[in-house]
């Protein structure tokens, strides 16, 4: 389908012709934005492969994309964003519900009509002389009743290319919208990239997302955090489901037993590496296959929780990824990949610090030749890769029911206090584990890096409604699911007194998975503490790690835990009356138990 000229003359008939559907409500909503934005052309992405190739070619010709060395990275390109548009901006992200209480204490809220007025003033006529791309998409397996569909409007070809890589785009989505009548409209306007007038707005009562003055990542790829978490979490709440910022992994033991392992971790806490983990050389017979690296949607099936992955690609952080830390990711993104804000070697390869230590000089993420290697790639530089490139993808990815979840992991980057692994004694205590996550901030969002902040279930930036009600939803789901997953908390990052990591991490984390599997099968003992069940180190599969280091990894510092609980309590109180009484009881039980040990 080619470009259509002068669409503003008759948008109603044009949209009906383009979309081939019989949904007057959707046509009306799209017509409103066409009239408001006044694009010169409209392109509907019904044939994603054709349009991806076309747009990549155009952007490469205009030097907006730099083709990488084909010998090492086939069909792959580097993109450099505006220097003021490099990460999610939480201060500009709004949950605009009719009732302010539905947004809660941790979300930015503005009354819907007021927020729309501000945004509409910014975007009116903003696509004059530009093309509007209409991108229909499905989140989740095409045939699953748990999947959802939507349409994103955008004026940015970089956004379109990324959407094609991370979502199921095209006619299937149009057909699904026709069949179900359910959809989300997501409007993205690049605008002037004015960082002082940037909005990522979620109108949760009307399934509408509008983003303006940004063209980067989760701010602009509205299928991702905006829909798959913020909007989807509201849908999940209303339908006894769960939309979570979690990875998921299908693990197979030497005797053929299958385990579904999910995990919620704030940025830089090991989530991607865990989702793509490989087994240590001495763990013959164990295997792991990826379902999701970032987001899962869960539903109840056969009295258990099952997870699907709403995404069709990775939008991963590049720094920290190399052949040692994540060899499977390296295999995935050596083709068909868009790299954003990495450095570039003089022979045309993407580069970030620690990727290749033999490099002496690179073009930094601004495009300038430099020997300042530590700052050459932006710390939040990314790779966008189709999930089909991943060599160890679980067959459950394509299954309409998804993967049965047997264990849920919570975790956050912490250098002290938190043991390597501990297990909740009950579902409610497990929910408290998730609510208590605190981790160091990273470059994935704007603001200071390295500050300890509360990030329950790794959802603080992504929950589309009141976080207290979200905790209650977790508790309620536990009552609805007969065969509940066991809940664990892990911390790969504990350090010794010299500042060195005690646990080797990376593939060695599989040994923790082995212990978790043994707990699921009731084959190993655990020691009860007020903060959960910890392994008996005499039976923990620690590899070559000595007894002294194991003792450090599982030491329970009760004064430190009391300090932790006292620091978390004000955050819980800030949530107000919506914080569940059942969770307060769990909190005070834990605190009383800790105090008795001091």
């Amino acid at each position: 389908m080619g470009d259509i000229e002068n669409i503003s003359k008759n948008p109603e008939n044009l949209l009906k012709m383009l979309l081939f559907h019989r949904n007057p409500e959707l046509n009306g909503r799209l017509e409103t934005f066409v009239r408001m934005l006044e694009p010169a052309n409209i392109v509907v992405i019904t044939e994603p492969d054709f349009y991806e190739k076309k747009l990549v070619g155009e952007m490469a010709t205009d030097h907006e994309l730099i083709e990488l060395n084909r010998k090492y990275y086939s069909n792959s390109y580097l993109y450099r964003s505006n220097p003021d548009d490099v990460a999610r901006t939480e201060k500009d992200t709004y949950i605009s519900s009719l009732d302010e209480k539905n947004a809660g204490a941790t979300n930015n809220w503005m009354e819907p009509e007021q927020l729309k007025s501000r945004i509409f003033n910014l975007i009116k006529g903003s696509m004059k002389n530009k093309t509007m791309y209409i991108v229909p998409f499905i989140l989740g397996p095409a045939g699953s009743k748990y999947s959802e569909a939507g349409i994103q409007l955008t004026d940015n070809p970089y956004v379109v290319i990324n959407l094609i890589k991370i979502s199921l785009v095209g006619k299937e989505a149009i057909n699904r919208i026709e069949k179900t009548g359910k959809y989300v409209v997501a409007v993205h306007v690049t605008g002037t990239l004015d960082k002082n007038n940037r909005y990522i707005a979620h109108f949760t009562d009307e399934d509408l997302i509008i983003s303006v003055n940004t063209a980067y990542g989760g701010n602009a790829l509205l299928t991702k955090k905006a829909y798959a978490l913020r909007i989807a979490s509201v849908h999940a709440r209303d339908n006894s489901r769960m939309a979570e910022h979690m990875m998921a992994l299908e693990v197979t033991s030497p005797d053929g037993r299958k385990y579904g392992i999910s995990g919620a971790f704030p940025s830089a806490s090991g989530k991607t590496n865990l989702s793509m983990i490989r087994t240590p050389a001495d763990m013959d017979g164990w295997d792991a296959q990826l379902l999701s690296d970032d987001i899962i949607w869960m539903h109840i099936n056969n009295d258990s929780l099952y997870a699907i992955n709403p995404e069709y690609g990775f939008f991963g952080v590049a720094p920290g990824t190399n052949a040692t830390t994540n060899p499977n990711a390296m295999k995935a993104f050596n083709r068909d990949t868009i790299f954003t804000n990495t450095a570039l070697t003089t022979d045309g390869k993407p580069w970030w610090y620690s990727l290749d230590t033999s490099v002496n000089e690179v073009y930094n993420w601004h495009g300038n030749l430099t020997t300042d290697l530590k700052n050459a790639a932006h710390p939040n530089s990314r790779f966008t890769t189709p999930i089909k490139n991943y060599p160890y993808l679980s067959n459950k990815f394509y299954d309409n029911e998804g993967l049965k979840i047997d264990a849920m992991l919570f975790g956050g980057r912490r250098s002290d206090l938190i043991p390597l692994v501990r297990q909740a004694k009950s579902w409610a205590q497990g929910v408290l584990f998730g609510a208590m996550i605190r981790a160091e901030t990273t470059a994935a969002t704007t603001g200071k890096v390295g500050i300890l902040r509360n990030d329950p279930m790794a959802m603080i930036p992504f929950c589309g409604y009141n976080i207290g009600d979200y905790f209650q939803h977790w508790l309620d789901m536990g009552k609805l699911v007969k065969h509940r997953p066991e809940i664990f908390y892990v911390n790969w990052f504990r350090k010794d007194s010299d500042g060195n990591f005690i646990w080797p991490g990376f593939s060695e984390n599989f040994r923790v998975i082995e212990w978790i599997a043994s707990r699921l099968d009731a084959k190993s003992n655990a020691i009860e503490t007020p903060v959960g069940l910890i392994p008996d180190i005499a039976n923990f599969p620690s590899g070559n790690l000595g007894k002294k280091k194991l003792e450090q990894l599982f030491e329970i510092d009760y004064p430190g835990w009391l300090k932790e609980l006292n620091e978390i309590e004000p955050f819980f109180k800030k949530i107000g009356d919506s914080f569940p009484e059942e969770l307060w009881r769990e909190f005070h039980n834990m605190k009383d138990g800790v105090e008795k040990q001091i």
Side-chain angles (χ1 to χ4, degrees), residues 88 224-225 229 244-249 261-277 290 292-296 311 314-317 325-326 382 390 409-413 455 457-459 462 490 492-493 506 509:
R88 284 184 292 105
K224 197 164 175 60
K225 309 297 190 185
L229 285 177
E244 301 298 330
H245 189 206
M246 283 183 159
M247 51 69 65
L249 191 67
I261 311 289
S262 67
F265 304 81
S267 295
S269 293
K271 183 172 69 170
T272 301
N273 285 344
L274 182 62
S275 71
M276 300 183 181
I277 196 169
L290 177 141
S292 174
D293 73 311
D294 192 35
I295 298 172
I296 57 175
E311 301 189 285
F314 307 117
F315 183 67
V317 177
T325 63
N326 199 332
R382 297 274 175 162
Y390 188 71
L409 279 55
F410 292 120
R413 176 181 284 267
D455 194 359
M457 285 76 166
M459 280 286 283
F462 310 122
V490 298
W492 322 120
F493 304 99
F506 305 119
N509 293 343

Side-chain angles (χ1 to χ4, degrees), residues 73 268-278 293 314-334 337 339 342-343 350-357 377-385 390 413 506:
Y73 294 89
S269 293
K271 183 172 69 170
T272 301
N273 285 344
L274 182 62
S275 71
M276 300 183 181
I277 196 169
R278 63 174 182 172
D293 73 311
F314 307 117
F315 183 67
V317 177
T321 305
N322 58 46
T324 300
T325 63
N326 199 332
N328 291 339
M330 298 291 292
K331 294 174 185 176
F333 63 52
N334 63 5
T337 297
F339 292 89
T342 66
W351 188 91
W352 47 89
Y353 193 67
S354 81
L355 181 62
D356 180 356
T357 55
H378 190 276
N380 192 41
S381 52
R382 297 274 175 162
F383 59 89
T384 313
T385 302
Y390 188 71
R413 176 181 284 267
F506 305 119

Side-chain angles (χ1 to χ4, degrees), residues 253 255 257 259 286 515-524:
S253 69
D255 62 3
R257 168 90 152 87
Y259 307 88
W286 286 92
W515 181 79
I516 289 170
S518 73
R519 290 293 297 163
L520 295 175
D521 294 338
K523 292 181 179 178
S524 65

Side-chain angles (χ1 to χ4, degrees), residues 175-191:
N175 293 337
R176 188 180 182 95
I177 291 171
E178 276 192 339
K179 183 177 179 180
T180 66
K182 296 179 180 179
Y183 57 88
V184 167
V185 173
V187 180
H188 166 252
V189 178
T190 303

Side-chain angles (χ1 to χ4, degrees), residues 228-229 232-234 236 241-245 295-298 459 470:
L229 285 177
S233 64
V234 176
R241 300 177 189 171
M242 304 175 79
E244 301 298 330
H245 189 206
I295 298 172
I296 57 175
W297 291 353
M298 289 181 282
M459 280 286 283
Y470 169 77

Side-chain angles (χ1 to χ4, degrees), residues 44 59 64 87 126 129 135 148 151 169 175 179 285 310 322 337 354 399 402 404 433 435 451 478 499 524 550 564 594:
V44 181
M59 291 188 73
E64 294 176 292
S126 60
N129 303 317
V135 187
E148 297 187 13
I151 289 183
V169 168
N175 293 337
K179 183 177 179 180
N322 58 46
T337 297
S354 81
D399 191 295
K404 179 177 174 288
F433 278 12
I451 304 300
S524 65
L550 279 178
E564 179 83 358
V594 167

Side-chain angles (χ1 to χ4, degrees), residues 339-411:
F339 292 89
T340 301
N341 292 340
T342 66
L344 181 68
T345 64
T346 54
D347 61 345
K349 293 184 287 187
W351 188 91
W352 47 89
Y353 193 67
S354 81
L355 181 62
D356 180 356
T357 55
S358 66
V359 171
N360 297 311
E361 188 176 52
V362 296
Y363 293 95
N364 66 17
W365 67 280
H366 296 287
N368 302 318
L369 198 62
T370 182
T371 57
D372 179 13
L373 301 182
K374 287 190 176 181
N375 299 304
H378 190 276
N380 192 41
S381 52
R382 297 274 175 162
F383 59 89
T384 313
T385 302
I387 202 167
K388 65 184 180 183
N389 283 10
Y390 188 71
Y392 306 108
L393 184 64
S394 169
N395 288 333
K396 296 295 185 182
F397 174 81
Y398 302 101
D399 191 295
N400 289 338
E401 291 293 337
L403 174 69
K404 179 177 174 288
I405 300 299
D406 301 295
M408 290 178 168
L409 279 55
F410 292 120

Side-chain angles (χ1 to χ4, degrees), residues 130-147:
K130 300 181 76 173
T131 295
M132 172 191 282
Y133 300 95
I134 299 180
V135 187
F137 60 85
I138 294 174
L139 299 183
S144 176
K145 65 182 179 181
Y146 306 108
S147 298

